[in-house]
Amino acid sequence: MAAGKRRELFTILETSADTERDSASDSEESPLNLSADVKWFEIPFRKPDSDEEEELEEDEEEEEDEFKSVAAAETADTASYLAGGGCNIILVTDNGMKHEEESEDSYYASANNCSETTSNDSDIDFSDLEEEPTDLIGQFDDLGEDCTSPDFWGEPDQIISIEPFTAISGPQHALGDEADTRDYFRLLFPDSLFEHMVEQTNNYALYRQRRSGKVDAHWHPTDLREMRAYIGLNILMGINQLPDYGMYWATDIFIGNAGFKKTMTARRFEKLNQNIHLCDRESEPAQGEPGYDGLYKIRPLLDVVENTMWEAYAPNRCLTVDEGAIAVKGRFSATQYMPSKPLKKGLKVWMLCDSKSGYCHRASIYVGRAGEDTGAVGYKVVTSLVKGLEGKHHHIFMDSLFTSVPLVQRLLQDGLYACGTTQPSRRGFPEALRLRNVGKLAQGEFFQCQRGNIVATVTRDTKVVSCLSSNCAPGIVGICPSRGRDGAVIGVPRPLPLLLYQENMRGVDLCDQLRECYQVGRPCKKWWRYFLWFYINLCIVNAYIILRESRGGAAPPGFSGKQFTQRHFRIRLAQQLIGDYQGARGMERAARKRHADSPVEYGHRLERMSERSRRCRNCTNKGLRHESVFGCKICNVHLCRGGCFSEFHK
């Protein structure tokens, strides 16, 4: 009987004339930023007829026989109502569950019937689903009550209030049309950070020499131009990836990179790798001392980048909170196992990203928890990430790791709406919607309970999913096209919270995709360097998003391609960071190239270099071993007497 009622229910939803508006309403603006293929319907909360009550009693006996339940009569009565009620919602009382009279009011103040809608908006627009503005904080003063009390949840027939989003959003800068990639990158990674890296790198090189008691003959202080070139080369290594960084300076013409050789030598690059630093090691507090900071080595970077990322782009209406992963090689105490991520093992970072573009507004490094349960960690993470958004009516989407009833209450009190999947075992989730009371659900079947703006939902899609939301009215269903096992397209009913979650939970994943396309930096043994390259890569991704939205998809001046992609952005940024910088060896090579046509004219001649023979540079480049006492003093290389002199200068 229950299956028959389900089929009848969804047949009525798709064909009943009472649940459709006039054709003139098709041109109205859609209240949701979802696929045009989704058909929207509102399921009224109504009392069942007397015939249905008799059928429900028969279902109760069948359920008891099927599951051989030994629970009390109250629990059996609850389960029978849930199993046979389809999408009708049931009131939770001290005596079990009961149906109430149908409410004449709509779930939303401005929408009291069903409609088919289409939309191509970039963000969720609830303009058609909003009530007149009210005092949101005052309306939910009672949310401080214990969410575990039996009378906390009620029937889903209450009107919810969603305040309009009116805050300024999008890129916030004063760059003109002539701005290029480096200008946008400077918004997030200013020149002051490069200067700080130069100062601390030079200090750390001296610190290493004092500690070892030896002088490094191959090290000389770096400067701002060289540090920019060093970062530019690391960006290019993400575009042109090779197994070992020494291969970029290989003599093999099919492997070696002439641009890398021109910029700096392999030894200089290695020395910068060894000494690059962000903090003063001599003043670092030891563990247990006052002022100890586990992130001391990257604290100067965090203080600057966290502010620039927040100020360069004002958050849009819909935001995503999720965990990001950083791939590592080696053993670190902070390494986490994340089975739900494509990268299963790595360093974890909590991220607040834009649901549409993937722009990362905030990132918080996870260093482990001490004896706290997952729900408490999720509560602290979300409240810290959304700090500064209070009263702006943003919509926060998160997964079951974070979502809980106390968190949704807290966000609602702060003027923020939330939607996300949750774990039924979490504190405050309705007892009536737990799996042991709901029983076996058919695909598309769902049940809901409500407390003010907070709606709890349990439904079955490909598996049973539990949701909590404060931005969705109860009873709204979307019929979504989906392919069955035989390949046929079928309509799958999904409640509104699940659809909004699926559409807007992609922000952090999109940011991760943009980051993982082109890695910056090389694997190493120092944990803090992974975070250094992570934040540099994140600044590149954010700068690319700001450029794309600021210019409306148009390429910067001087670009002649059809489409300006992230790859073009990274190559152009690296070239501008390197500029015309050339190390000592690079300048020698440039001079040799200019004098190649007539080396004798510019003072290059074959003459005796020393009494002791050394390897010919030209033969070495070809993989041969010949020695000579002759060479070119201008180039400071030994060369064989014969064709090596002219061949080398070409």
Side-chain angles (χ1 to χ4, degrees):
M1 185 274 298
K5 288 184 65 178
R6 295 186 193 111
R7 287 194 296 269
E8 180 184 359
L9 173 65
F10 292 117
T11 301
I12 292 174
L13 285 177
E14 296 186 68
T15 60
S16 174
D18 297 334
T19 61
E20 297 181 0
R21 292 183 180 178
D22 297 334
S23 59
S25 66
D26 294 339
S27 61
E28 297 179 0
E29 182 181 4
S30 169
L32 300 169
N33 176 32
L34 294 174
S35 172
D37 297 331
V38 177
K39 298 182 179 181
W40 299 102
F41 304 95
E42 182 176 337
I43 303 175
F45 174 73
R46 55 174 177 261
K47 179 180 178 181
D49 299 332
S50 59
D51 294 338
E52 295 177 345
E53 291 178 355
E54 295 177 1
E55 293 176 355
L56 288 174
E57 293 177 359
E58 297 175 2
D59 279 352
E60 180 180 352
E61 298 176 358
E62 294 175 2
E63 292 290 339
E64 291 176 355
D65 294 339
E66 180 179 355
F67 297 102
K68 298 181 180 180
S69 174
V70 294
E74 174 182 338
T75 305
D77 181 68
T78 299
S80 64
Y81 269 117
L82 287 170
C87 291
N88 281 332
I89 317 302
I90 302 168
L91 168 63
V92 183
T93 65
D94 294 338
N95 299 324
M97 292 190 174
K98 63 180 181 179
H99 288 276
E100 291 293 336
E101 292 292 335
E102 177 181 356
S103 174
E104 296 180 358
D105 296 331
S106 169
Y107 296 114
Y108 288 104
S110 60
N112 55 6
N113 50 15
C114 308
S115 64
E116 299 182 8
T117 61
T118 59
S119 175
N120 292 319
D121 295 340
S122 62
D123 230 334
I124 296 181
D125 181 10
F126 287 93
S127 58
D128 292 344
L129 307 178
E130 291 165 357
E131 204 178 30
E132 294 184 3
T134 57
D135 183 5
L136 187 64
I137 306 300
Q139 182 177 355
F140 297 102
D141 285 340
D142 62 337
L143 289 179
E145 298 181 4
D146 184 12
C147 57
T148 60
S149 61
D151 57 347
F152 182 83
W153 295 98
E155 69 271 14
D157 60 350
Q158 306 170 39
I159 298 175
I160 75 170
S161 174
I162 300 178
E163 297 293 335
F165 175 75
T166 57
I168 299 175
S169 61
Q172 305 295 314
H173 59 80
L175 298 178
D177 294 337
E178 298 301 320
D180 214 327
T181 54
R182 184 179 167 187
D183 300 315
Y184 288 96
F185 181 71
R186 192 182 287 116
L187 294 173
L188 301 157
F189 204 93
D191 290 339
S192 59
L193 261 181
F194 283 110
E195 295 172 356
H196 180 80
M197 292 172 64
V198 170
E199 178 184 359
Q200 297 303 328
T201 298
N202 290 330
N203 292 341
Y204 181 69
L206 297 177
Y207 168 79
R208 289 180 71 241
Q209 295 179 39
R210 287 195 302 268
R211 190 176 60 178
S212 64
K214 298 179 181 179
V215 177
D216 190 350
H218 300 291
W219 170 259
H220 59 84
T222 184
D223 55 20
L224 184 59
R225 292 185 63 207
E226 186 178 44
M227 184 59 66
R228 288 175 180 162
Y230 170 75
I231 299 298
L233 292 181
N234 277 278
I235 295 174
L236 290 176
M237 286 181 178
I239 305 292
N240 180 21
Q241 300 182 15
L242 291 176
D244 182 71
Y245 75 84
M247 299 178 68
Y248 293 96
W249 285 268
T251 57
D252 191 326
I253 60 174
F254 298 104
I255 298 179
N257 190 301
F260 280 67
K261 298 175 184 178
K262 176 183 176 182
T263 304
M264 66 177 64
T265 63
R267 176 179 289 175
R268 183 58 179 172
F269 186 86
E270 182 180 359
K271 289 299 175 182
L272 290 173
N273 265 345
Q274 292 176 357
N275 295 310
I276 186 170
H277 235 67
L278 296 169
C279 66
D280 186 1
R281 290 295 301 274
E282 294 183 344
S283 60
E284 180 180 4
Q287 189 171 2
E289 295 182 358
Y292 171 76
D293 183 5
L295 301 176
Y296 177 83
K297 289 182 174 62
I298 58 172
R299 183 59 61 188
L301 174 70
L302 298 179
D303 293 341
V304 174
V305 172
E306 287 180 354
N307 290 331
T308 56
M309 289 196 308
W310 185 257
E311 296 172 357
Y313 192 105
N316 286 316
R317 184 178 198 179
C318 296
L319 303 172
T320 303
V321 174
D322 202 357
E323 55 186 1
I326 305 174
V328 297
K329 288 186 178 181
R331 296 181 179 180
F332 303 104
S333 59
T335 303
Q336 301 291 318
Y337 177 68
M338 295 161 282
S340 62
K341 290 292 180 181
L343 181 63
K344 304 297 181 185
K345 188 177 181 181
L347 301 175
K348 183 186 293 186
V349 181
W350 309 117
M351 302 175 70
L352 174 69
C353 295
D354 185 83
S355 295
K356 178 189 174 186
S357 65
Y359 182 93
C360 180
H361 299 281
R362 274 186 180 142
S364 177
I365 297 174
Y366 178 71
V367 293
R369 65 176 188 268
E372 297 177 319
D373 60 7
T374 306
V377 172
Y379 184 94
K380 293 180 180 179
V381 168
V382 175
T383 52
S384 63
L385 288 177
V386 301
K387 188 176 181 180
L389 299 178
E390 294 84 355
K392 296 183 179 180
H393 313 302
H394 292 274
H395 294 246
I396 312 299
F397 295 87
M398 47 201 168
D399 62 12
S400 59
L401 180 64
F402 309 94
T403 312
S404 63
V405 176
L407 175 60
V408 177
Q409 288 180 288
R410 167 66 184 275
L411 294 177
L412 203 55
Q413 289 176 346
D414 292 341
L416 300 171
Y417 303 100
C419 179
T421 58
T422 188
Q423 301 174 11
S425 58
R426 285 276 170 83
R427 175 178 176 268
F429 194 79
E431 184 69 23
L433 299 186
R434 305 205 177 197
L435 295 181
R436 62 176 177 269
N437 293 328
V438 171
K440 187 176 182 180
L441 296 174
Q443 187 177 19
E445 186 180 8
F446 70 95
F447 300 100
Q448 294 178 318
C449 294
Q450 186 177 2
R451 170 72 173 189
N453 255 49
I454 305 177
V455 177
T457 306
V458 60
T459 183
R460 182 177 183 85
D461 194 56
T462 55
K463 62 179 182 179
V464 178
V465 181
S466 301
C467 303
L468 283 173
S469 62
S470 59
N471 59 350
C472 307
I476 304 296
V477 178
I479 307 298
C480 304
S482 179
R483 291 191 177 275
R485 294 183 178 180
D486 56 352
V489 178
I490 58 176
V492 177
R494 292 191 179 100
L496 180 59
L498 182 59
L499 285 162
L500 293 184
Y501 173 83
Q502 292 174 338
E503 181 68 21
N504 296 280
M505 191 56 199
R506 61 188 178 183
V508 175
D509 294 334
L510 180 57
C511 181
D512 285 344
Q513 290 175 5
L514 293 173
R515 281 195 305 108
E516 294 296 330
C517 286
Y518 309 101
Q519 287 289 345
V520 178
R522 309 290 300 187
C524 60
K525 297 181 180 180
K526 298 182 179 180
W527 63 268
W528 63 268
R529 291 194 183 178
Y530 286 101
F531 290 112
L532 167 63
W533 300 126
F534 166 79
Y535 276 100
I536 291 178
N537 204 1
L538 196 59
C539 289
I540 295 173
V541 171
N542 285 347
Y544 169 67
I545 294 173
I546 293 176
L547 180 145
R548 185 179 59 188
E549 296 194 6
S550 300
R551 303 183 63 87
F559 180 75
S560 58
K562 294 183 179 179
Q563 185 178 5
F564 191 73
T565 63
Q566 184 190 188
R567 174 170 56 86
H568 297 118
F569 180 90
R570 288 176 180 264
I571 294 175
R572 196 179 181 95
L573 173 62
Q575 291 173 343
Q576 293 178 2
L577 287 175
I578 296 172
D580 58 351
Y581 175 80
Q582 295 180 1
R585 185 70 59 83
M587 288 186 287
E588 290 178 4
R589 288 196 177 100
R592 259 197 329 263
K593 185 176 181 180
R594 289 194 300 270
H595 304 163
D597 294 337
S598 55
V600 177
E601 179 181 348
Y602 293 93
H604 295 263
R605 58 179 55 87
L606 185 67
E607 53 188 314
R608 195 178 188 91
M609 295 282 293
S610 63
E611 296 296 330
R612 184 179 177 182
S613 63
R614 298 186 181 276
R615 296 185 63 176
C616 172
R617 178 63 62 83
N618 187 61
C619 294
T620 301
N621 292 342
K622 295 189 293 183
L624 304 176
R625 183 179 180 88
H626 292 135
E627 295 185 355
S628 174
V629 296
F630 296 94
C632 178
K633 289 187 176 181
I634 299 296
C635 299
N636 194 26
V637 294
H638 283 249
L639 297 168
C640 296
R641 298 181 67 180
C644 286
F645 175 82
S646 58
E647 185 177 348
F648 176 79
H649 286 87
K650 288 182 180 179

